[in-house]
Amino acid sequence: MSSILPNHEGWLPYWLLLTSLLSVGNTIQAYITTANTAEVYRLSGPQTTALSSRIFGTWTFISAIVRYYAAYNISNPQIYELGICMYAVAWAHFMSEWWIFGTAKWGRALMGPICISTGTTLWMLFQWGYYVQ
């Protein structure tokens, strides 16, 4: 792993790398098919188009880049904060689509993004002093 990430103690950098790689996979899916995006936003009906899926994929790819930078530069306070912000924005997006806009419904497709964004945001907040010196 040292060729991908600098040597750091703890699991958080590896978790951020994993979520970054998963985001790249989700980006590819969003560009290939609307099925996965439509599953998350299953109450949006015809609003889930190829264009909206690609826009979601682009946003997800930007998130993947920031997550990788946060994993690689885990002790840099500015990049660490940016990583927290990316997960918090993802949480706010998915929660608002579920609770406010009503385009998402709780289920397998929504559970992953909400659990990952919630858990990672909290993990990063609680581990600030451990990684950022």
Side-chain angles (χ1 to χ4, degrees):
M1 269 305 187
S2 62
S3 63
I4 298 172
L5 291 177
N7 194 13
H8 291 289
E9 292 186 26
W11 291 100
L12 184 58
Y14 300 104
W15 173 252
L16 297 176
L17 176 63
L18 175 64
T19 62
S20 175
L21 294 173
L22 291 172
S23 294
V24 171
N26 189 263
T27 295
I28 293 167
Q29 289 177 340
Y31 271 82
I32 293 172
T33 179
T34 61
N36 298 312
T37 305
E39 189 177 347
V40 173
Y41 305 102
R42 60 176 135 164
L43 299 178
S44 67
Q47 293 179 26
T48 303
T49 64
L51 174 61
S52 67
S53 186
R54 291 189 306 272
I55 290 170
F56 182 74
T58 301
W59 177 76
T60 303
F61 188 66
I62 292 167
S63 296
I65 293 168
V66 173
R67 290 169 182 179
Y68 177 71
Y69 270 84
Y72 194 86
N73 298 288
I74 195 80
S75 60
N76 181 307
Q78 292 82 15
I79 295 177
Y80 195 96
E81 287 173 352
L82 189 58
I84 292 171
C85 289
M86 291 303 292
Y87 286 100
V89 167
W91 179 86
H93 167 73
F94 289 111
M95 294 301 288
S96 67
E97 292 298 331
W98 179 27
W99 285 353
I100 298 169
F101 303 112
T103 57
K105 183 177 180 183
W106 184 256
R108 180 180 64 91
L110 188 60
M111 186 182 319
I114 288 178
C115 290
I116 289 171
S117 62
T118 303
T120 308
T121 300
L122 292 173
W123 191 1
M124 290 184 80
L125 288 170
F126 291 135
Q127 291 295 300
W128 171 271
Y130 182 77
Y131 289 103
V132 178
Q133 307 297 329

